[in-house]
Structures are given as C-alpha cells and as structure tokens.
Amino acid sequence: TRRSYCEHLSELHHRVRSIRTNRTHVRTISNAQEDSCVIHKHDGELNLLEQAKKVLLTPDPIQKVAITLETQKRWKVGDLSLDLAKKVQPPDTPSRPDKPICVPPKQMKSAKQLNVPLPTYLLHSLAHIELNAIDMVWDMLLRYSDCRMPREFFDDFVDVAADEARHFSLLNEAMSTVGFTYGDIMSHDSLWKNAERTKHDLKARIAVMQLVQEARALDAQERLMVRVSSQGSKPFAELVKLICNEEVDHVRKGVRWYEFLCKREGVDPVTTFHKLVRECSESKKFPPPFNTKARDDAGLFGPYYIPLSEMET
C-alpha cells in the first residue's frame, strides 16, 4: 500500500535536515578579501569550474542533482581546486531533458485544462524553477569567474546550488507519491531569459536572480501554501514551507555579495538596484503583498523594493 502523504513527507523532512550542511550567517568581509582573489591549483585535482560546466552540460535532472551534491561535498573537504587563471567557458544554454515540453508563458495550460491535481501542478512548477536555479548558480560561478571574487563567494553559492538540488529532489519525490515525476507536466520557457539578460554583469545577475526572483518566491509562500492545503494536501504545503524558509538564506547571500560589489565599485546599492531592475529584469514592477519578515531576515529592506511596487512600468 502507498504510504500516506504525512509519512512520506515526514521521512523527506527528516532526511533533508540530516544532509543539510551547516549554514553560517553573513560574515564580515575584510579589506584584504575585498582586494584579493584566492587562486588554488594542485596537480591532479579537479577544478570547481570544470565541475560547474559538467553540471551545465548534463541534461538528466537526477544526474544534474547528483553531480551538484557530490561537487559540494568535494568542495567542502578540499578535493576540488579553484583555478581562476584558467577560463572555463560556459555553454550558451544548459543541457535540458526532452521532457517537460516547454512553451512561452502565454501558452501555458492550467491544472484544470491538463486534468492534473492542483497541488501536483504547483509542485511540478516549483521543481522546474529549482532545476533552472541549479543551472543559474553554476552558470554564474563559471561566467563571472574572472571578477576577482573572494573564495567565500564560491563557498556561499556552491551551498546555494546544493540547496536547489535538494529542493528539486524533495519535490520530485513528493510528486512520485501520487504517480507523477518531473517532466510529466508542461512548463514555461521564460526562466532562463533573466540569465541571458544579465550575461554582461555579475552585479545585475545577483540583483535579478537573488534579490528579485528568489525574494518574490518568499512573497509567494503563504499564497502557495493556502492553494496547496486547500486541496487537502497539507503535507505538500509543509514541503513548500520548508523550501521557502531555506530560500531566505539564498536572498541573504545575494544581498551580501551584491552589496560587496556595489561597495567595490563605489555605487549606491539601492539606486543601482532600481536601475538594474529596469534594464535587466523581465518584471519591472512588483506589487504587494510582501513577506516583510522574511525579506528583513535576509537583509533586503524596504528601500530596495517598495519604490518598485509604485513605479510605472
């Protein structure tokens, strides 16, 4: 017999907590770190950047997740070098599986039109976002590896990539309890467009990905939980809550490194953020409600986003 949602989610919840790496809160970056970039290379060791490219060239989602988690593990124990003197060119776009079928957002069908339960439809949408997020992080580490960033930058975002990989696995396993898997439901093809718009500037990439897209995910938490639990799937709602709570740390890390770059370039972070959103983000205006507590916890305070809820498109 199929186990209940609650039993399955309890097992998933316990497992993800047992494999999560210890996170640390934002640390102060010393002046020495701001002006230097750590380059490590030892004979015979794999390069972190080569592993990043391997992830991007892997089409199978399960393998992509496995390589990401293995890379994080090896990075943490020092089995991977960071050779920034050797440029590793990222692919134009990540390799993708044959399924799901991806269409423009306006061509997306609803759960009702596809005859799919709403909670499953929403979990599949989240899994699609998480899979793209894995690639966006590795693309960022690879594409901007010549930006003289401290080793801590790589530490933080290797952990973010691993979080996204675990989130994808949890969502895929949750869908499997009701007979679905990633790829069974159509998805939209717009997620990578923001990555393409920010190819020219690391600061813009972090602003759009972590300070806009991931922050908007925090805002959507309560609405998603209500929509999922209203269909009788409270365990799925708990999974959404777990994932969204962990995304706070991603926004926090985004704020940390975005402000680091602004300080290094001598620009005001808030006004620069507004400019970058107008130039690089698909969405130019962000209506409330906002998850103010989560945003505050991440260090993304009102002056960053309140003007964007009022400005004209």
Side-chain angles (χ1 to χ4, degrees), residues 59-296:
D60 181 78
I62 305 304
Q63 291 181 15
K64 191 183 290 286
V65 164
I67 296 169
T68 294
L69 295 177
E70 179 65 18
T71 299
Q72 184 211 29
K73 179 181 177 181
R74 296 188 68 174
W75 174 250
K76 283 187 170 295
V77 298
D79 284 349
L80 295 176
S81 66
L82 180 58
D83 184 3
L84 301 180
K86 179 182 177 183
K87 181 69 175 176
V88 180
Q89 192 65 31
D92 290 337
T93 56
S95 296
R96 285 281 179 256
D98 293 334
K99 296 174 63 179
I101 296 170
C102 290
V103 299
K106 290 183 180 179
Q107 295 179 23
M108 276 293 294
K109 295 182 179 179
S110 66
K112 186 175 181 180
Q113 289 172 317
L114 294 172
N115 195 28
V116 173
L118 180 60
T120 306
Y121 181 89
L122 294 173
L123 290 191
H124 191 277
S125 296
L126 290 175
H128 187 62
I129 291 169
E130 298 290 347
L131 189 67
N132 275 268
I134 296 169
D135 284 329
M136 287 174 181
V137 173
W138 289 120
D139 178 84
M140 180 176 71
L141 293 181
L142 199 51
R143 188 172 301 279
Y144 308 105
S145 59
D146 57 356
C147 286
R148 299 185 302 111
M149 298 300 286
R151 183 185 176 92
E152 287 177 301
F153 170 78
F154 294 89
D155 290 340
D156 277 352
F157 281 102
V158 167
D159 285 347
V160 170
D163 283 347
E164 309 292 19
R166 294 186 189 101
H167 294 168
F168 175 86
S169 293
L170 286 169
L171 292 161
N172 202 34
E173 290 186 42
M175 286 189 289
S176 74
T177 66
V178 289
F180 285 82
T181 190
Y182 177 71
D184 288 345
I185 303 171
M186 69 188 314
S187 299
H188 65 79
D189 61 2
S190 67
L191 291 171
W192 191 252
K193 286 189 169 75
N194 278 330
E196 292 175 341
R197 290 189 185 96
T198 56
K199 281 182 177 180
H200 63 290
D201 183 6
L202 174 58
K203 193 165 67 279
R205 173 67 64 88
I206 296 175
V208 171
M209 303 313 303
Q210 274 70 48
L211 278 62
V212 172
Q213 288 194 338
E214 295 219 57
R216 289 306 278 172
L218 303 181
D219 299 336
Q221 176 180 337
E222 290 302 321
R223 296 194 299 278
L224 271 174
M225 289 179 63
V226 168
R227 292 185 73 191
V228 171
S229 60
S230 67
Q231 301 289 318
S233 297
K234 290 185 179 179
F236 284 0
E238 286 299 312
L239 178 54
V240 171
K241 180 179 179 181
L242 173 67
I243 290 172
C244 287
N245 285 344
E246 293 187 355
E247 300 286 346
V248 174
D249 191 53
H250 300 181
V251 179
R252 181 184 296 118
K253 286 170 177 170
V255 171
R256 176 193 186 192
W257 292 110
Y258 170 76
E259 292 184 347
F260 165 83
L261 287 164
C262 288
K263 180 180 178 182
R264 189 168 73 178
E265 295 175 18
V267 297
D268 178 72
V270 173
T271 56
T272 301
F273 176 70
H274 297 164
K275 178 176 179 288
L276 291 172
V277 168
R278 287 192 295 269
E279 293 176 352
C280 303
S281 177
E282 185 174 11
S283 300
K284 313 295 183 187
K285 186 176 180 180
F286 309 112
F290 299 111
N291 188 339
T292 305
K293 182 182 183 305
R295 284 171 173 264
D296 285 352

